[in-house]
Amino acid sequence: MRIFDPHIHMTSRTTDDYSAMAAAGVKAVVEPAFWLGQPRTCPGSFADYFDSLVGWEPYRAGQFGIRHYATIALNPKEANDLRLTPVLDMVPRYLAKENVVAVGEIGYDTMTPQEDTAFAAQLAMAMTAGLPALVHTPHRDKARGTARSLAVVAESGIGADLVVLDHLNEVTVRQVRDAGCWAGFSLYPETKMTPGRMVELLKKYGTERMLVNSAADWGRSDPLLTVRTAEAMLASGFTEAAVDQVFWGNPTEFFGRSGRLTPAIAGAADEAYAGNSITRGGR
Amino acid sequence: MNPAAAPPSGPHWLAEAQAGVLRDPDTAGTLIAAAARELPPAGVTRGRAVLLAAVLRADAGVARLATLYRHGDSGEKLDLLRALPLLPDPGGLPAAAIPLLRDALRSNDDRLVAAALGPYSDHLDQAAWRHGVLKCVFLGVPLARVHRLGERADAELAVMIGGLAAERDAAGRRLPPDAAALLRHLTAATTDDQPVTPAEG
Ligand SMILES: [Zn+2]
């Protein structure tokens, strides 16, 4: 079993997690830029954070044979702090980087005018850079927040198939499917999805345009819930091929639209992966 | 910097990018980043050196180079460090580059540490250089990658490596063979009061 976790905040995880993930078959991850629990108060803090997402963290992941990609954005929650508005000017610089495969996490937290501005501006940056977009849906007022996010996406002119709306659930998945966007689900204990509920959604909606992630971070979370969900799929009768589509084919197809996945990850063959060095540092 | 400018593409990408940097050095950051996907993997380091040389021809080129390092991802930082010995000095390059070498030596990325100890490390003072070499031993970077190791290795470096050897001994661990050989060589030379001969070029 090979796993590509399309949403995990490795910055907040330990080397034990990397070891356990590698042992369980995780070969690639996408780390979206988000908030760190403690609010930041100046743009420089974001520069250092983004630098670690294109510097130290890919190196750290490489030590465990895991290919690390990132998405870059000013997140919706901190977009509300006017001291951080200059971060929007820094984002395009990072969107040019080798391991950056999307703009994200953008979207809504409490649906303020500041969030509207940052969301629309960063969707435009994604289109300019030719990158997909990762949209976080709010924890509160989720159904209406999802609908409003879809409206902003449609208005921006970006292709629906270049956008994933994440942290979906039974209530919000239908509208995202109908809009033609990718549907993201976070297996996050207590607050988001569980493996059992995820399997039911995959039975109902099929395995196409579905991205399943652990969203593991500094909160109560588990980087192996992707693996547990893959096992639950098999136990409930899904084929190995269907599991591979959800946990490898779909993330490589979606983020592959950046044109920036290394051939070893983008190519379907396991042999290609095994034969290539994980980081370009091997050259 | 104008990220909206679409990077040129095609077989002549590097020549076009070089002309672009000469026309507008503000585009260098985006183009140097884009080299990772526009050039074949084996040509990225050399291509970036070509673009950095173009940057140095602009006004305030040396300051621009330092900014490009600060704004670079790991691959860009690595390629900039590797390019340093090949770059023309418009004046003030070593003074601007030394802080970059020191930054790389502070990192925990063994690729950056090794790159900082390439030929441009001739500009590092002896204290910084010794700590760099010791860090290589600590991280397991092959010492063959350290420029002019045989000429610059001195008694003080022997004391430092000897200290690490004692700690490793106490923990039941060994120095890498190349470091152990260097230590034997240095202590023998010091005892015999003879000049240290180069171990390699
Ligand atoms: Zn997240």
Side-chain angles (χ1 to χ4, degrees), chain A residues 76-98:
Chain A
K77 189 189 290 271
E78 290 178 285
N80 289 299
D81 187 332
L82 296 180
R83 292 172 296 183
L84 301 177
T85 304
V87 174
L88 289 174
D89 299 327
M90 294 168 12
V91 168
R93 188 172 95 214
Y94 290 95
L95 297 185
K97 300 306 183 192
E98 187 179 5

Side-chain angles (χ1 to χ4, degrees), chain A residues 7 9 105 167:
Chain A
H7 186 144
H9 301 283
E105 301 178 43
H167 315 318

